[in-house]
Every structure is written in C-alpha cells, then in structure tokens.
Amino acid sequence: MSVYFENNIKMGATEIKLYDIFRKDLKLSDEKARIFAEIVQETVINEVKNQQTEFKSQNKEDLLKLEMQLTSKIEQLNSKIETTKLDLIKWFVGLFFALALMIIGLYFKK
C-alpha cells in the first residue's frame, strides 16, 4: 500500500502511519510531519544497511577462517593418505617376498 503526496513522493504503509502519528498526535503541519516521517524512514533504512554490511563482513571473515581450517585439514588428510599408501606398499612388497621365498623353499624341498 503506498500513497503519492503532492511532491510525487511515494510513501509506504509504515511511513504513512508515522506521518499520521506526527501530524495528529504531535500536531505538526502536514509538510513537517511528512519530512519527519521521511527522515525517520531514511534513518532506519540506513541503519539496516549498515548492520547488513557489518553482518556481511563478519560472515566473510568467518568463511575465510573456515576455509583456512578446511585447507589445513585437507593437507593433514593428504599427508596421512600418503603415509598409509607407503605403509601398504611396504607390506605388499614384504608379503610378496615372503610368499616368493616360501614357494621357492617348497620347490627345492622336493
């Protein structure tokens, strides 16, 4: 719901309520009530924008911290995978030679 005043200024429902309060309850002139309502609305909008900007910057900082932590964890996991891979290769080679020696030993036993 919006209304156009004589200056073709579009006012929303909240601003109209403020305008009515300022005009009727505070007994301000129409022009002063309209200006006061606009100023209040602009102030609220600016404050919301400032808080939104602060919230976004805080989120960016938090996301960067999380990204750094994830990168660190990924590097740790990659090093553990490499270590595990090397251990498996050592065991397979050792078992292969043990099995080969057993087969050779059985061959010469005959």
Side-chain angles (χ1 to χ4, degrees):
M1 177 178 178
S2 62
V3 176
Y4 283 93
F5 279 88
E6 55 272 346
N7 296 17
N8 290 333
I9 296 173
K10 190 173 182 179
M11 295 182 76
T14 305
E15 196 172 354
I16 291 171
K17 288 178 186 176
L18 283 174
Y19 168 79
D20 285 339
I21 290 170
F22 296 148
R23 191 173 48 84
K24 290 177 184 174
D25 296 344
L26 299 178
K27 296 183 181 21
L28 295 175
S29 68
D30 287 345
E31 184 65 22
K32 285 184 181 180
R34 184 185 58 76
I35 291 171
F36 197 46
E38 289 174 0
I39 290 171
V40 168
Q41 186 168 3
E42 281 182 34
T43 304
V44 169
I45 289 172
N46 288 337
E47 185 62 29
V48 168
K49 285 180 181 178
N50 289 340
Q51 288 178 358
Q52 185 180 22
T53 303
E54 290 173 14
F55 183 71
K56 283 181 180 180
S57 66
Q58 183 64 36
N59 279 346
K60 282 182 182 179
E61 291 174 12
D62 290 345
L63 286 173
L64 287 174
K65 287 178 186 175
L66 283 174
E67 184 180 10
M68 288 172 35
Q69 289 174 351
L70 283 174
T71 303
S72 171
K73 293 291 183 185
I74 288 172
E75 289 174 1
Q76 289 174 359
L77 286 174
N78 283 338
S79 67
K80 284 183 181 179
I81 289 171
E82 289 297 321
T83 305
T84 305
K85 226 192 274 187
L86 289 173
D87 288 344
L88 284 173
I89 290 172
K90 289 177 189 176
W91 276 97
F92 284 138
V93 169
L95 288 174
F96 174 76
F97 281 121
L99 186 61
L101 288 174
M102 284 189 240
I103 292 173
I104 291 172
L106 287 174
Y107 180 73
F108 283 120
K109 188 176 178 182
K110 284 188 178 182

